[in-house]
Every structure is written in C-alpha cells, then in structure tokens.
Amino acid sequence: MFLHIRYYGTASITIPQFHQSSPVVNRFLSLLQRCGRTLVSIKAIHAQLFTHNMSKDQYLCTKLIALYCDLGSLSVAHNVFDQFSQPKTILCNALINGYLKNELYFEAIELFKMMGFCNLKIDSYTCHFVLKSCIGLSDYELGLEVVKFAVDKKIGREKFLGTAIINFLVRFGKLDDARRVFDGMIERDVVCWNSMISGYVQAGQFNEAFFMFFKMRNCGINPSALTIVSLIQACARSGNLELGKCVHGCAIELGMTNDVLVVTSFINMYSNLGEIESAHLVFETMPNRNLVSWNAMILGFVQNGLVLESISLFNRLVTSGCGFDSRTIVSLLQGCSQIADLKCGKILHGCIFRRGIELNVILSTAIVDLYSKCGALKQATFVFDRMEKRNVVTWTAMLVGLTQNGLAEEALKLFHQMQVEGVVANSVTLVSLVQSCAHLGCLRKGRSVHAHLIRCGYAFDVVHMTALIDMYAKCGKIRPAELIFNEGSIFEDVIIWNSMITAYSIHGHGEKAVELYRKMMVEGVEPNETSFLALLTACSHSGLVEEGIRLFHSMERDHKIRPTDKHYASFVDLLSRAGRFEEAETLVTQVPFEPGSSILQPLLNGCLTHKNFDLGLRTADRLLSLDSLNSGIYVVLSNIYAQAKQWDAVNHVRSLMRTQGLKKTPGYSSIEVESKVYTFFAADDSHPNWAEISEYLENLRLEVEASGYVPDTSCVLRDVDEPMKIKLLWGHSERLAIAFGLLSTPAGSSIRITKNLRVCNDCHNVTKYISKIARRELIVRDANRFHHFVNGVCSCNDYW
C-alpha cells in the first residue's frame, strides 16, 4: 500500500496559522468524542462535516483520521488525508500514528520521509512515532538518523521524545548510548526511569537495574506497577529468590497487592524459581484475577511437574465462568505431553473446536507435540499436514516425535522436506537429527549434520557434544567419539562423561570404560545413576564380572546412590551372561522390592544362551505371571523348548501367542550406501538386485565352507531337516545386507550393518570368515553391542 499525496513541486510549503476553535468546531469535537467509536457513527459525523462545510478543517480531520485508524479503516483515513494539498504536521502525525497502530511501519516511514522532502515541520511526536516504526522494522540506521535529527533540533531532551529515544536504543542493545541520553534529560518521569530499568533487565544487567531503581527512589520518583514488574523479571531471570521476596515485600509496602499485573508477575517468578507453593499461595490470595493470572498458575503447575493440579485448576477456571484461551490450552497440552496422557490431550483437542479457538501455529505445534510424545504419530501427522503455517518449532516437534518413536528414517526424510521448504533448523532440530542418524547408523548423514552444527556454532556445548559422541559410537566410529569427548571433558559435566562410558560399553571396551570412570573420579566429577548403569553394561558385555560386582556394591556404599530396577537388571545380566546362575538367583531374591520383568528377563536370556532348561522354564513362568502380553518372553521360551527339541511344546507356545494376538518382532538389518539406507528382512527377495545378491551369497557360501566354516544348525530353532536349516541360515538378514554391501561399496572400505535383534552364533561365526576372505572390516551393531570383524576375528572375543 503506497500513499499518494498531491504535492506540486518541491518548494517549501507555507502553512497557515491554525484558527481558533469556533463553537461549531467544538460541537463536532464533542460529537467525535461521544460517537461510540463505531464505523457507522463516525461516518455519520463525517457526512455532517460536509454538510456544514467543515470537511476542510484540519484539526477535526486529525480526529477523524485517528478514529478511522483505530478501527482499521486505513483506506477511509487516506481519503480524509488526501483531500489536503498542504497538510499540517498534526494531520501527518495522526496518519503516521495510525500506520504505527496497524503495524504498517514501512508506510509510516514513507510518510515521514515525504514530510522532510516537503519541508513540513517535524516535531517530537513525529519522531516518537517514527522511532517506534523503526523498531517494528528493525531498522537501526534510519532510527539513528531520527535520533540525530532530534538532537540537532534540540527536541531530544524533551521528556516525551527522550523516553522514545531511550526505548529505541535499548531495543537495539545500545544501553550505554541510552544511558547518556537519560543522564542528559532535563526532566525524567517514571516512564523514563522504567525504560532504563527494563532495558538493563532485558540485557541481563540485573545489578544495574536495581541500582537505577534505588537512584530513582532517591530522586523522589514513586515506582509504578511496570517498575516492579521489571524488577520481578530480573529476580526470576537471575534465579535470585531471596531478592524476589524483597521485591514482593516492597510491592506490599507500596500498596500494589491489588494490581493484577504485579501479582501475576509474582506467580510467574515463584513458579520459574521452583517455589510453586508460594506461587499458589499468591494466586489463592489474589482479590481480583483475570485470565492471565489463571494461565500463569496453570503454566506454573505444568512447569513444576504438577500436571494433575493444573488440570484441576483448569476445571475451576471453567466452572468460574471466566473462560479460557489458546494459552490455557497450550500449557495443559504441554502437561499432557509430560505424562503422556493421550486421553486428556484428546479431550483438550476437542475443547479447542467446541470453544471455537483459532488454531494458530503455537497451539497446533502443542497438539503435534502431544500426539508425538504419546506415540500417536498418525494423529500427529494428520494435524501437522493440515497446518497452513509451520515454524521451526513445529517441524522440530514432528521430527523429535518420529525419532523418539523409532522412525528415524522418516525423520530424516522430513528434515529433507523441511530444507526444501526453506525452514532453518535450530539446535533442538539438529540434536533430534543426530539421534536419528545414531538410531539408523547413518554415518555419512551424521557427519553432514555435525558439519551443520559447526557452521551454526552449536557443536561446542555439552548437549550437542553428548549427542555427537552417541552418534559416532552408534555408527561404529569410536575414535571420533573420543576426539569430541576430549574437547568436551573440560566442562566437567557428568553427562558427557557418561556418554563416553556408554560408547565404550556398546563397543565392548569394558576396560576402557572402567579406566575412564577412574579418571572421572580423579577429575572430581561425581558419578550418577546413569554412570553406574553404563559401567555395569560395559562389564557385562566384556565379561568383567568381578569388576562389575565391585562397582555395584560401591554405588550405595561410596556414592550414596541407591540401585534402581535398571541397575539390578544389569547386574543380573552380568551374572547370567557369565553362567553364574546361583549368584543371579540369589541376587533376584535380595532385591529390596518386588522384582519385575525387567530384572527377570536377563536371567531368562542367560538360560537360553547357556541352555539352562530347568531354570529357564521357572523364570519364564514367573515372567508370564507378571507380563502375559510380552511377546519377547514367549519367543525365548519357545527357543528354550526348541533347544531341547520339545517341538510339541514349541508349537503350544506359538499357539498361545497367536491366541493372544502376539507376534514375534521380525529381524531386519540395515546398511547405508551412498547416503541411502537399505533394509533387509530374513529371506527378503524384494530388492531390485536380488538375483545378483543371491548369486553372490551362494559364491560366498562356497568360499567360507572351503575355508573351514561349518554351519551351526542348532541356531535354527525349527523342526526341519539339515539342508533346510542351512538354507534358512543363509537367508538371515545380516548376510543379505553384508552381501549387498560387498557388491555396492569400493574394495577395502568398511561395511556397517545395523541389526535390530541379537546376532545369532552362526551369523557371528560366518561373518568372521567373510571379513577374512573379503579383506574388509565388517562392523555389525546388534541389539546389544557392536562387533568389529577384522581378518577373521571379532572385537567381542566371542563373548556377547
């Protein structure tokens, strides 16, 4: 929208003296003030101006323009303005202010420039409105010109414009300049002081903010509600609860306990500082509440993990008849996301439509986040796909949802779509992508995201370094993980140490994990629950049984960390893998709480590995009484019976699974070739190059058998003949992925395979032979750990 003003020539315009108010003018002014501010009533008075030949009165038309702009009728306001070939400053100011109120900042600045071009007088009000427009456009250079103009014309020290200049400079972070303007002002009111105090708070200079407050009091200026609100924000942002309580006392002394804005700010402060009981007390003692107050308290409950209390307060809000808005629903949806309460979330989603609340970006994003975190990805995708506008937070919510629900490949595809649409990723987005790459073992894509993090300046904080260590470790590259850890260990943050211990753990480097733990203790970094969980896992995967026992007992004795069910489960796994079943059974009986399936499952798995039939049956019986719908228990039990060749029992267990609608998790293996992930299932002939893969596998079989490989058909837990068992073994998903990798990658390069289940004994054995014949490093990541096969030897030393 561009304003065309009828000026003729560039000569200076002579403005006539404004006439004295006449009775007729006063009558119309009175009518305009009492018109009810509706478009119909204003247009009626406008028509009367024509009737009384008053339509050319610039003072009256200034009022008309202001009223039309307040109602958003800019086109009518333009028409009023355009009838004057020589508008006065007051008329121009009215239209500039109208543009400002309607966020048409560019148009406001264009009219300001036209005033200068036509030598119209520019006063403090003009500069005030234009400075606000410059803030709206983030145009510091033009705003600075306005400030210089005001200083040259000696109007910058006026109280009204001086405050505007301070606000402008503060908004652009020029606090020192703002302070110089402030100190040079002849007269300063509370608004001016508030601008400086607020500026210091926004810049994080909290001590300076309080210094200004004390100076203000010494000058005899009484603080306003906005002064106290700024001080409250300073206390909340600096985490200074005691100072916040002092400000609270000051507000009480100043008689501001009835001010809704001030009291609501205290609710926010106490909630942000974890003093939720104090926040609740302030809320309950409020004499007057508005929706902002209710929203602050609901959000406070959610931020402090009291989701049920937030829902209860929402019910009170609805009962009170105060109503609610999108902010209320967003807070409650965030609460439901925290506790994965899908049912309550769906009710809130319904409330949005029943209430007729507009689905803005923030609200829609909260809905996407709720469904994603509750595992309802179909609903999350439905809402996401129908959003007209999506910001980076929306995309990130969807990406995180896909990643956390194991759909890492879909997450990477969505990120590609996000890039195509020109949305710039933030740090949270990139962390979720790193996690997706880790889940899939996509090293090339992971390196690309790492480079992106470096370019954006995100790669050198603890959160991102931890994610990168995890990614490189899960992509089979322990050395880059070590390099990142060596850079990040200076933070002395237990999280980054834990990530490196876990990396060593999944690669079977138990000795290195324990050594790093000892170094961590020397550096003064206190271990936590996660540290010991990673250490116990590392010892379990490396056969360091005695070291694992020592670490477990040191948890509570030396570090006052009480073992959880996860620690006991890991300890049972440590003993069961080593075949020390008496100790494992004794440990289960000594657990200080009722042992659940997470503790008994490792014992059952150990029985399968070491063919402990009797203990396996007893353990399976206990597990099924605890969790009868866990398909994994039935599968292991079926395999135990199959090892004992009790095929009738095997069929009975499988029949029970079918009756209960349970299915075995299908095994699959994935491999990344040229930035694309290929997935293979057992006996999978769906690949376009299947004929070539099948022929290569057959040749590979002949070569490994010639090298001494003998198939271990005991791994085939099915009642079929030996030739069929061998055929089934060669259809295992990891062999298909390895064959495809050998065909599709350059000679001598490493091949990385990711398998969702534990690799079987025969596949483990044959992969050693293949690594020697092909002269390749084969890196296989199964459900438990990494196996690095080089020249016929595996890094796990056949202990996994």
Side-chain angles (χ1 to χ4, degrees):
M1 180 186 313
F2 184 79
L3 178 65
H4 296 280
I5 307 177
R6 291 190 296 274
Y7 289 113
Y8 305 98
T10 59
S12 177
I13 296 173
T14 304
I15 301 175
Q17 289 294 315
F18 197 69
H19 64 77
Q20 296 294 321
S21 295
S22 66
V24 178
V25 172
N26 288 333
R27 183 169 67 84
F28 276 108
L29 284 174
S30 178
L31 283 172
L32 287 169
Q33 289 168 355
R34 294 184 285 108
C35 65
R37 291 183 179 271
T38 64
L39 192 58
V40 174
S41 60
I42 293 169
K43 282 186 174 181
I45 297 171
H46 192 176
Q48 289 184 46
L49 288 176
F50 280 100
T51 305
H52 291 79
N53 294 320
M54 298 295 293
S55 61
K56 295 289 185 180
D57 188 293
Q58 292 208 28
Y59 189 61
L60 287 173
C61 286
T62 297
K63 298 293 183 183
L64 270 177
I65 287 172
L67 289 170
Y68 280 130
C69 288
D70 286 346
L71 294 171
S73 298
L74 271 298
S75 58
V76 185
H78 292 163
N79 292 336
V80 174
F81 184 86
D82 282 350
Q83 67 181 317
F84 297 98
S85 59
Q86 294 183 333
K88 296 179 180 180
T89 299
I90 191 171
L91 198 69
C92 294
N93 285 350
L95 191 54
I96 290 174
N97 191 30
Y99 284 136
L100 177 64
K101 288 180 178 178
N102 288 274
E103 298 183 4
L104 299 173
Y105 308 122
F106 179 78
E107 287 80 353
I109 289 170
E110 285 299 299
L111 182 51
F112 166 72
K113 289 178 179 178
M114 187 67 76
M115 288 177 69
F117 179 71
C118 296
N119 292 327
L120 287 173
K121 182 184 177 183
I122 295 173
D123 62 14
S124 61
Y125 289 93
T126 319
C127 294
H128 173 84
F129 300 142
V130 173
L131 281 173
K132 283 192 171 183
S133 298
C134 291
I135 291 172
L137 288 175
S138 299
D139 191 337
Y140 175 70
E141 297 302 325
L142 178 61
L144 196 58
E145 287 183 25
V146 176
V147 172
K148 289 176 180 176
F149 172 85
V151 172
D152 289 342
K153 296 296 182 183
K154 297 186 171 26
I155 57 174
R157 298 176 72 183
E158 293 180 14
K159 181 170 62 177
F160 177 70
L161 182 55
T163 302
I165 292 172
I166 290 169
N167 278 329
F168 168 78
L169 293 170
V170 162
R171 189 65 64 93
F172 286 95
K174 307 296 182 181
L175 279 171
D176 292 339
D177 293 337
R179 183 61 182 269
R180 278 192 289 272
V181 173
F182 176 85
D183 290 339
M185 290 178 66
I186 300 169
E187 186 182 357
R188 296 176 295 218
D189 61 8
V190 68
V191 178
C192 196
W193 285 92
N194 285 349
S195 297
M196 279 309 306
I197 292 171
S198 174
Y200 281 126
V201 172
Q202 297 309 314
Q205 297 183 28
F206 307 121
N207 290 338
E208 285 296 324
F210 275 94
F211 174 78
M212 286 296 290
F213 171 69
F214 297 139
K215 188 175 180 181
M216 170 186 174
R217 296 291 283 153
N218 289 335
C219 291
I221 305 293
N222 287 324
S224 68
L226 291 177
T227 319
I228 300 301
V229 168
S230 291
L231 297 178
I232 295 169
Q233 290 172 351
C235 297
R237 288 181 57 187
S238 63
N240 195 329
L241 178 61
E242 293 306 313
L243 188 56
K245 288 178 178 179
C246 292
V247 174
H248 196 170
C250 180
I252 293 170
E253 185 182 333
L254 292 167
M256 293 186 181
T257 52
N258 291 334
D259 190 291
V260 177
L261 177 63
V262 171
V263 179
T264 302
S265 297
F266 279 119
I267 293 172
N268 284 325
M269 181 194 76
Y270 285 123
S271 298
N272 291 335
L273 297 177
E275 287 284 317
I276 193 63
E277 290 182 2
S278 298
H280 193 205
L281 180 63
V282 171
F283 175 80
E284 293 296 347
T285 54
M286 285 181 76
N288 300 301
R289 302 187 190 106
N290 59 14
L291 182 55
V292 178
S293 310
W294 287 90
N295 285 348
M297 194 65 245
I298 289 171
L299 178 60
F301 278 135
V302 171
Q303 287 175 334
N304 287 272
L306 302 174
V307 179
L308 296 180
E309 285 80 353
S310 72
I311 294 169
S312 175
L313 189 62
F314 174 65
N315 291 331
R316 274 179 59 190
L317 170 63
V318 173
T319 306
S320 72
C322 188
F324 54 89
D325 62 8
S326 62
R327 292 181 182 84
T328 323
I329 301 297
V330 166
S331 297
L332 292 166
L333 287 171
Q334 289 170 348
C336 292
S337 297
Q338 282 181 21
I339 61 174
D341 190 341
L342 183 59
K343 183 179 178 182
C344 183
K346 284 182 174 179
I347 293 170
L348 290 168
H349 194 175
C351 283
I352 295 168
F353 293 102
R354 287 193 296 274
R355 183 79 176 180
I357 296 173
E358 183 182 354
L359 276 172
N360 55 38
V361 175
I362 296 173
L363 183 54
S364 297
T365 300
I367 297 168
V368 170
D369 185 59
L370 164 79
Y371 286 130
S372 297
K373 287 181 178 170
C374 292
L377 290 177
K378 187 176 179 181
Q379 291 95 321
T381 305
F382 181 86
V383 175
F384 179 83
D385 288 342
R386 281 156 183 77
M387 289 177 66
E388 293 181 5
K389 292 182 179 179
R390 294 180 290 220
N391 60 18
V392 64
V393 181
T394 316
W395 287 90
T396 302
M398 196 69 233
L399 280 166
V400 170
L402 291 169
T403 303
Q404 290 178 345
N405 286 278
L407 300 174
E409 196 166 348
E410 287 79 355
L412 291 175
K413 289 177 182 176
L414 188 67
F415 177 65
H416 177 70
Q417 183 187 341
M418 176 181 171
Q419 288 181 308
V420 169
E421 295 194 18
V423 181
V424 179
N426 62 16
S427 61
V428 181
T429 319
L430 295 171
V431 165
S432 70
L433 279 174
V434 171
Q435 292 169 345
S436 297
C437 296
H439 181 81
L440 289 173
C442 294
L443 179 61
R444 182 176 294 185
K445 189 68 178 177
R447 282 172 170 163
S448 174
V449 178
H450 187 182
H452 197 89
L453 281 165
I454 292 171
R455 287 194 298 272
C456 296
Y458 294 139
F460 304 104
D461 65 77
V462 172
V463 173
H464 295 95
M465 294 179 102
T466 301
L468 287 168
I469 290 169
D470 180 64
M471 184 272 292
Y472 279 115
K474 288 180 178 175
C475 288
K477 302 292 285 185
I478 200 71
R479 184 56 187 155
E482 288 176 328
L483 292 173
I484 294 169
F485 170 76
N486 290 337
E487 291 180 3
S489 59
I490 58 170
F491 291 115
E492 297 185 358
D493 192 310
V494 69
I495 296 173
I496 201 164
W497 289 80
N498 288 347
S499 67
M500 196 63 233
I501 292 172
T502 303
Y504 284 137
S505 167
I506 62 175
H507 282 268
H509 300 322
E511 294 86 354
K512 286 188 175 182
V514 174
E515 182 185 341
L516 188 62
Y517 163 71
R518 289 171 182 153
K519 183 180 178 183
M520 174 179 169
M521 299 299 297
V522 172
E523 295 287 337
V525 180
E526 187 63 28
N528 59 14
E529 291 181 0
T530 307
S531 311
F532 284 102
L533 189 60
L535 285 164
L536 288 169
T537 305
C539 293
S540 180
H541 288 168
S542 304
L544 302 177
V545 182
E546 298 305 323
E547 186 66 43
I549 293 171
R550 188 189 67 77
L551 285 166
F552 180 84
H553 290 304
S554 74
M555 284 178 63
E556 197 161 8
R557 183 187 66 236
D558 300 334
H559 302 283
K560 305 296 183 287
I561 298 173
R562 184 169 294 178
T564 65
D565 57 338
K566 290 181 180 178
H567 295 99
Y568 279 103
S570 192
F571 196 9
V572 170
D573 183 61
L574 172 80
L575 297 169
S576 300
R577 280 176 189 270
R580 295 167 66 161
F581 291 111
E582 274 190 40
E583 294 168 80
E585 279 194 281
T586 302
L587 177 63
V588 170
T589 61
Q590 292 175 348
V591 174
F593 45 83
E594 188 64 31
S597 58
S598 65
I599 293 174
L600 294 171
Q601 185 89 47
L603 183 60
L604 182 65
N605 294 338
C607 292
L608 177 64
T609 302
H610 292 280
K611 299 181 181 179
N612 190 327
F613 183 76
D614 293 333
L615 179 59
L617 294 185
R618 293 200 311 271
T619 307
D621 189 51
R622 285 185 67 180
L623 275 165
L624 289 172
S625 67
L626 292 170
D627 190 2
S628 61
L629 296 178
N630 186 335
S631 63
I633 300 169
Y634 289 95
V635 170
V636 178
L637 178 59
S638 170
N639 291 343
I640 288 172
Y641 280 125
Q643 281 181 340
K645 300 192 183 306
Q646 295 189 16
W647 301 114
D648 289 341
V650 170
N651 292 331
H652 176 65
V653 172
R654 290 174 179 171
S655 175
L656 283 174
M657 287 183 69
R658 286 192 294 272
T659 302
Q660 297 191 68
L662 301 176
K663 291 182 179 180
K664 177 184 176 182
T665 302
Y668 65 84
S669 298
S670 59
I671 179 172
E672 182 188 14
V673 176
E674 294 182 354
S675 298
K676 186 175 180 182
V677 177
Y678 296 86
T679 302
F680 295 87
F681 291 87
D684 187 355
D685 61 357
S686 62
H687 194 278
N689 299 336
W690 166 246
E692 189 180 358
I693 295 170
S694 178
E695 182 183 352
Y696 189 86
L697 270 175
E698 179 59 22
N699 293 332
L700 205 56
R701 183 182 68 80
L702 295 173
E703 283 193 70
V704 295
E705 285 179 356
S707 299
Y709 159 74
V710 178
D712 180 5
T713 55
S714 67
C715 296
V716 181
L717 303 175
R718 292 173 64 177
D719 188 15
V720 294
D721 59 26
E722 286 297 303
M724 177 54 72
K725 287 182 178 181
I726 293 171
K727 183 179 179 181
L728 290 171
L729 284 172
W730 280 93
H732 281 193
S733 64
E734 53 265 61
R735 302 192 198 199
L736 302 181
I738 289 170
F740 175 70
L742 291 171
L743 283 167
S744 308
T745 57
S749 62
S750 299
I751 292 175
R752 293 174 179 79
I753 308 292
T754 301
K755 184 175 172 65
N756 68 324
L757 303 176
R758 183 181 184 272
V759 65
C760 77
N761 288 349
D762 189 67
C763 284
H764 188 270
N765 189 32
V766 79
T767 306
K768 289 192 290 185
Y769 280 93
I770 294 171
S771 71
K772 188 172 184 178
I773 291 167
R775 297 179 182 178
R776 300 275 202 111
E777 180 187 16
L778 304 177
I779 304 168
V780 179
R781 170 184 154 197
D782 70 6
N784 296 325
R785 55 161 298 159
F786 271 88
H787 301 265
H788 294 256
F789 298 91
V790 180
N791 198 28
V793 178
C794 180
S795 60
C796 74
N797 296 318
D798 299 336
Y799 187 91
W800 81 101

